[in-house]
């Protein structure tokens, strides 16, 4: 009898042991079989390609455009919305925004973004600076490796241009300004062969009878034998609207602007001719060409030196060209 009971307990324990082992094995197998998919998902989420990051940014940008239109249509003075509708605390509840809030920098730079040049006014933010730095200098066998930079509005300092030349061996800078005759301060002699300056103005058309002369961007590119600009910097005190309008006219047939990214200071200095409706149409025309806002910096000096004017009327933006297949920014 005791022997029978012992055998019974033996089989019960053995069966239980086998059950536990099989169950644990099945659980381990299930976890192992699921791990590659989970790891793959995590890898995809953390290791996005440049184009995947740009696609996410495009979605974010589209959402901001939708909200822009919705908010603008809700304003009782649409489309003649004041640039700065809240001038006192009682206005804030109804209009908690300025013109610039309708055009936020919602398109994330797909690479590193660095500030180049001096602190304060004059320095600029550059998307993908490390990619430009990685390009080798000009070689006879690879002349297309040059990084072409146009700079309009050098004014009283050239720290942006000097640092770009120092950090980007392939950089060739073409700078233009009405008020000066050369870079200020001078570009170091070691970079002078890659720095080109002319005293002239950027406008919607060529005006050879003016002093200094004015040229369109299309004409200047043709004079320099350029079909593409990697980086365009513009600070021309309100003339940026008509100058870029004219350039967009020349790009209509191609449907793409041949510029990788633009650093531009926008000025609200002509309220008689540039209102909210005009500004929005101009901005959205650029967006129609694939230009996306990826950074902004308010020029606070324009406020503190504004002789009582407190409205922030000057804002620097960085736009990247999301349709530009030639851009170094599309590198993986």
């Amino acid at each position: 009898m005791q022997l029978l009971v012992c055998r019974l307990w033996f089989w019960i324990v053995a069966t239980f042991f086998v059950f536990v082992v099989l169950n644990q094995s099945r659980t381990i197998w299930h976890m192992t079989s699921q791990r590659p998919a989970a790891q793959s998902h995590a890898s995809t989420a953390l290791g996005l390609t440049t184009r995947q990051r740009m696609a996410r940014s495009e979605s974010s940008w589209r959402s901001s455009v939708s909200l822009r239109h919705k908010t603008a249509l809700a304003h009782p003075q649409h489309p003649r919305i004041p640039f700065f509708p809240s001038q006192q605390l009682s206005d804030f509840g109804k209009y908690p925004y300025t013109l610039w809030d309708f055009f936020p920098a919602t398109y994330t730079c797909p690479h590193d973004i660095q500030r180049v040049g001096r602190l304060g006014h004059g320095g600029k933010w550059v998307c993908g600076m490390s990619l430009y730095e990685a390009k080798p200098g000009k070689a006879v066998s690879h002349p297309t490796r040059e990084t072409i930079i146009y700079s309009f509005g050098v004014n009283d300092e050239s720290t942006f241009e000097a640092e770009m030349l120092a950090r980007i061996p392939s950089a060739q800078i073409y700078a233009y300004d009405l008020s000066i005759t050369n870079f200020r301060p001078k570009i170091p002699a070691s970079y002078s062969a890659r720095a080109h300056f002319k005293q002239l103005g950027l406008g919607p058309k060529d005006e050879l009878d003016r002093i200094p002369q004015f040229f369109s961007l299309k004409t200047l590119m043709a004079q320099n034998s350029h079909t593409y600009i990697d980086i365009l910097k513009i600070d021309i005190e309100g003339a940026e609207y008509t100058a870029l309008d004219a350039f967009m006219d020349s790009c209509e047939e191609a449907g793409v602007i041949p510029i990788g990214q633009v650093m531009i200071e926008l000025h609200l200095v002509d309220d008689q001719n540039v209102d909210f409706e005009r500004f929005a149409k101009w901005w959205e025309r650029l967006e129609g060409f694939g230009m996306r806002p990826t950074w902004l910096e308010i020029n606070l000096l324009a406020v503190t030196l504004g002789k009582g004017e407190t409205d922030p009327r000057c804002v620097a933006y960085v736009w990247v060209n999301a349709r530009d297949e030639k851009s170094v920014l599309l590198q993986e």
Side-chain angles (χ1 to χ4, degrees):
M1 182 68 179
Q2 289 180 343
L3 181 61
L4 181 61
V5 171
C6 289
R7 287 180 176 178
L8 180 61
W9 274 108
F10 170 80
W11 286 111
I12 292 174
V13 171
T15 302
F16 177 76
F17 177 78
V18 171
F19 172 79
V20 170
V21 170
L22 289 176
N23 188 63
Q24 289 293 330
S25 299
R26 184 170 56 185
T27 301
I28 292 172
W29 175 86
H30 178 74
M31 292 173 62
T32 304
S33 65
Q34 294 299 312
R35 188 175 299 160
Q39 288 179 340
S40 176
H41 176 75
S43 175
T44 302
L46 296 176
L48 298 176
T49 66
T50 296
R51 293 183 184 275
Q52 285 172 333
R53 288 194 294 272
M54 292 177 73
R56 289 191 172 192
S57 290
E58 188 78 4
S59 177
S60 175
W61 166 77
R62 288 187 182 279
S63 295
S64 72
V65 172
S66 177
L67 187 58
R68 173 200 307 165
H69 293 161
K70 179 180 179 180
T71 304
L73 287 170
H75 195 283
Q77 292 178 250
H78 179 269
R80 303 285 181 174
I81 303 172
F83 288 150
F84 308 99
S86 293
Q87 293 294 320
Q88 51 192 0
L89 190 59
S90 59
D91 297 328
F92 177 78
K94 294 183 293 183
Y95 314 117
Y97 47 75
T98 70
L99 169 73
W100 311 116
D101 293 306
F102 284 90
F103 307 94
T106 51
Y107 191 94
T108 305
C109 170
H111 303 284
D112 62 313
I113 186 162
Q114 300 182 32
R115 201 171 196 279
V116 177
R118 73 178 181 184
L119 293 175
H121 191 262
K124 302 297 179 185
W125 292 93
V126 182
C127 173
M129 183 63 184
S130 61
L131 298 179
Y132 297 108
E133 289 181 285
K135 291 177 65 177
K138 181 180 178 181
V140 175
S141 58
H142 297 284
T144 59
R145 285 182 176 175
E146 290 182 336
T147 299
I148 303 300
I149 301 171
Y150 277 45
S151 179
F152 293 95
V154 177
N155 203 358
D156 62 344
E157 64 89 31
S158 307
T159 56
F160 171 79
E161 291 79 12
E163 187 174 340
M164 293 294 275
L165 288 167
R167 295 177 60 180
I168 304 175
S170 62
Q172 293 280 343
I173 293 185
Y174 296 79
Y176 306 92
D177 198 292
L178 285 173
S179 59
I180 57 177
T181 58
N182 211 326
F183 291 99
R184 291 186 178 176
K186 294 283 187 180
I187 296 293
S190 57
Y191 308 137
S192 60
R194 296 188 286 122
H196 318 276
F197 182 92
K198 286 186 179 179
Q199 185 181 21
L200 54 81
L202 177 66
K205 60 182 179 180
D206 302 340
E207 298 181 73
L208 305 184
D209 295 332
R210 293 184 64 172
I211 302 176
Q213 294 177 328
F214 274 67
F215 293 92
S216 69
L217 181 55
K218 179 182 178 181
T219 295
L220 291 174
M221 290 178 67
Q223 289 178 356
N224 297 324
S225 299
H226 293 149
T227 59
Y228 182 79
I229 298 173
D230 290 279
I231 295 173
L232 171 63
K233 188 201 95 173
I234 301 181
D235 186 356
I236 52 177
E237 308 304 319
E240 59 270 11
Y241 302 105
T242 55
L244 286 181
D245 258 335
F247 190 64
M248 285 189 281
D249 288 343
S250 69
C251 298
E252 283 288 358
E253 184 175 350
V256 178
I257 294 177
I259 301 173
Q261 69 174 299
V262 178
M263 295 118 203
I264 185 168
E265 182 158 72
L266 300 179
H267 305 78
L268 303 178
V269 296
D270 186 9
D271 289 9
Q272 297 299 316
N273 297 303
V274 180
D275 56 15
F276 181 92
E277 183 179 22
R278 169 76 175 91
F279 184 93
K281 287 182 178 179
W282 176 83
W283 179 282
E284 293 188 348
R285 188 183 184 196
L286 281 163
E287 290 178 323
F289 277 99
M291 303 306 294
R292 300 289 182 263
T294 192
W295 201 267
L296 66 83
E297 180 177 75
I298 298 173
N299 184 345
L300 295 177
L301 283 175
V303 175
T304 60
L305 300 176
K307 298 180 180 180
E309 295 289 339
T310 59
D311 296 336
R313 288 181 165 264
C314 301
V315 172
Y317 276 90
V318 178
W319 292 323
V320 297
N321 192 338
R323 295 183 185 171
D324 178 20
E325 295 297 328
K326 296 181 180 180
S327 177
V328 68
L329 302 180
L330 290 184
Q331 292 184 12
E332 296 299 333

